Amino acid sequence: DAKTTQPPSMDCAEGRAANLPCNHSTISGNEYVYWYRQIHSQGPQYIIHGLKNNETNEMASLIITEDRKSSTLILPHATLRDTAVYYCIVRVINTGTASKLTFGTGTRLQVTL
Amino acid sequence: SAVISQKPSRDICQRGTSLTIQCQVDSQVTMMFWYRQQPGQSLTLIATANQGSEATYESGFVIDKFPISRPNLTFSTLTVSNMSPEDSSIYLCSVLLTGGLAGDYTGELFFGEGSRLTVL
């Protein structure tokens, strides 16, 4: 899996958009960008993933640059419950052992009042 | 989605003993993984639990220390053997679902809530 680089921590005011960047300059053509988050004392939770097009779901939006070397996860209206560690992971999609996730250090997002 | 139950949720153990952690899934899954999360650290993959065959271990992890069983498609165990304080971690089970309609497959992994192990 390609390595990713994320800032170690970020702050965001409640109600504002949280924009979490991720660099993945060595991503290969068949690798997807995945985002997971881990709220304190819980297992990681899937947020969103994409290949090259921007994606949106009920939790977040994912913006992938045209060269696919970086991406941004956007939480449009952050709440205190969004305080967590956010992991950006690149991987292939298949049903075999390559489906494993390799976690980096992630970004610790602190949402404040 | 999948509901993953891990037991025990937490335990305090003595040095030199062994503890077996169970992972039960409410549906059949193809891939099951075991992760370790040491205090203040990210998640590290221990091994892939293969149904009907020996687990596939990542670099730095060995079967003698972390024996894994997977007798069927919904259940797996991880044993932490001959424990030392350095084994104090959260151990998480993760599964990959491959069922569903074509086009719905996201490659999403689901995680249990983890088993918090403290070794004294």
Side-chain angles (χ1 to χ4, degrees), chain A residues 34 36 38 40-46 49 87 91 93-97 99-105 108, chain B residues 30-31 33 35 37 41-43 45 48 50 56 58 92 96 98 105-113 116:
Chain A
Y34 277 78
Y36 279 74
Q38 187 177 25
H40 182 63
S41 298
Q42 298 182 19
Q45 175 191 24
Y46 165 83
H49 78 286
Y87 295 99
R91 67 190 264 259
I93 292 183
N94 67 28
T95 58
T97 56
S99 56
K100 64 186 180 182
L101 293 176
T102 301
F103 288 83
T105 54
R108 183 173 299 277
Chain B
T30 56
M31 305 298 293
F33 305 95
Y35 285 83
Q37 187 170 30
Q41 303 296 313
S42 183
L43 287 81
L45 181 64
T48 303
N50 301 308
T56 304
E58 297 297 307
L92 298 108
L96 175 70
T98 57
Y105 180 63
T106 66
E108 176 182 354
L109 291 191
F110 294 88
F111 287 80
E113 292 302 311
R116 184 181 296 272

Side-chain angles (χ1 to χ4, degrees), chain B residues 8-64:
Chain B
S9 59
R10 60 178 63 232
D11 207 341
I12 300 174
C13 302
Q14 296 299 317
R15 181 195 300 259
T17 63
S18 298
L19 178 73
T20 296
I21 302 167
Q22 298 179 1
C23 176
Q24 178 73 56
V25 191
D26 67 345
S27 56
Q28 293 186 347
V29 300
T30 56
M31 305 298 293
M32 296 181 76
F33 305 95
W34 285 98
Y35 285 83
R36 179 176 76 180
Q37 187 170 30
Q38 295 176 300
Q41 303 296 313
S42 183
L43 287 81
T44 301
L45 181 64
I46 298 172
T48 303
N50 301 308
Q51 195 268 327
S53 64
E54 195 170 281
T56 304
Y57 290 84
E58 297 297 307
S59 176
F61 296 95
V62 295
I63 187 172
D64 290 346

Side-chain angles (χ1 to χ4, degrees), chain A residues 16-70:
Chain A
R16 306 295 291 269
N19 297 286
L20 292 90
C22 179
N23 287 320
H24 31 79
S25 59
T26 60
I27 191 171
S28 57
N30 63 344
E31 287 183 312
Y32 288 70
V33 180
Y34 277 78
W35 283 84
Y36 279 74
R37 74 180 182 182
Q38 187 177 25
I39 297 171
H40 182 63
S41 298
Q42 298 182 19
Q45 175 191 24
Y46 165 83
I47 301 173
I48 198 168
H49 78 286
L51 182 62
K52 54 184 178 181
N53 298 320
N54 298 337
E55 302 288 344
T56 296
N57 63 21
E58 65 278 4
M59 291 183 66
S61 294
L62 174 61
I63 309 298
I64 303 174
T65 58
E66 190 169 346
D67 63 7
R68 302 205 330 120
K69 293 185 177 182
S70 66

Side-chain angles (χ1 to χ4, degrees), chain B residues 67-83:
Chain B
I68 289 171
S69 78
R70 189 177 171 194
N72 56 53
L73 294 176
T74 63
F75 185 78
S76 177
T77 66
L78 168 74
T79 298
V80 186
S81 303
N82 188 25
M83 288 183 287

